[in-house]
Amino acid sequence: GLTINQRLAYTPGSPLKLTEYGETLMKESGFYNVLRDNRRSFIDAVKAKNPQTNYDIQESATAVLRELANANNQLVVQLKNYAFDKGLPLELMLNSAGILLRDEVMKELKFGDSTLDK
């Protein structure tokens, strides 16, 4: 189920971090390459949501990916196909990808002291 997979893909606590399994999902799905090749447009989409806290950045990153998935945008088709092929919930893939996107956004925008810097 989703709860078990979530625990395997990313760690509980704050900030969320991908586990080795989560890293594998992102590599095998090709999302690392998609993020690298479209970094600026992803970051701009998150910034357009006007996040006011680090938590907002995290939530906005996942929201952007969810919106792209709902619109059948090519940027997330690989995530959708991978989830389908592996029998995984799309939400697991979007949440994992959201962690990567959050980290990229936080290289440019963050609020206060973040444990991502440590």
Side-chain angles (χ1 to χ4, degrees):
L2 183 60
T3 303
I4 292 171
N5 283 336
Q6 280 181 330
R7 290 192 180 131
L8 292 174
Y10 41 90
T11 62
S14 184
L16 297 173
K17 294 182 181 169
L18 293 180
T19 62
E20 187 176 321
Y21 175 65
E23 294 277 348
T24 298
L25 292 177
M26 294 297 96
K27 287 176 187 166
E28 288 183 355
S29 69
F31 188 73
Y32 273 112
N33 295 333
V34 171
L35 181 58
R36 180 196 66 224
D37 295 345
N38 300 280
R39 183 179 184 276
R40 183 80 266 145
S41 62
F42 275 121
I43 290 172
D44 289 346
V46 173
K47 284 182 171 182
K49 293 195 169 293
N50 196 29
Q52 299 298 305
T53 67
N54 293 330
Y55 185 82
D56 292 342
I57 293 171
Q58 178 173 285
E59 292 299 302
S60 295
T62 303
V64 163
L65 293 167
R66 194 172 293 115
E67 290 164 8
L68 291 171
N70 289 339
N72 242 357
N73 188 291
Q74 287 300 308
L75 294 174
V76 294
V77 165
Q78 285 178 268
L79 289 175
K80 292 172 85 172
N81 289 339
Y82 187 85
F84 180 80
D85 291 343
K86 299 293 184 180
L88 297 170
L90 179 58
E91 196 67 20
L92 172 69
M93 300 300 293
L94 296 175
N95 288 342
S96 297
I99 292 169
L100 295 180
L101 179 52
R102 174 209 64 198
D103 291 349
E104 287 301 308
V105 173
M106 289 186 79
K107 290 177 182 176
E108 295 183 16
L109 174 70
K110 64 178 117 181
F111 303 92
D113 185 33
S114 172
T115 55
L116 287 176
D117 297 329
K118 298 175 183 171

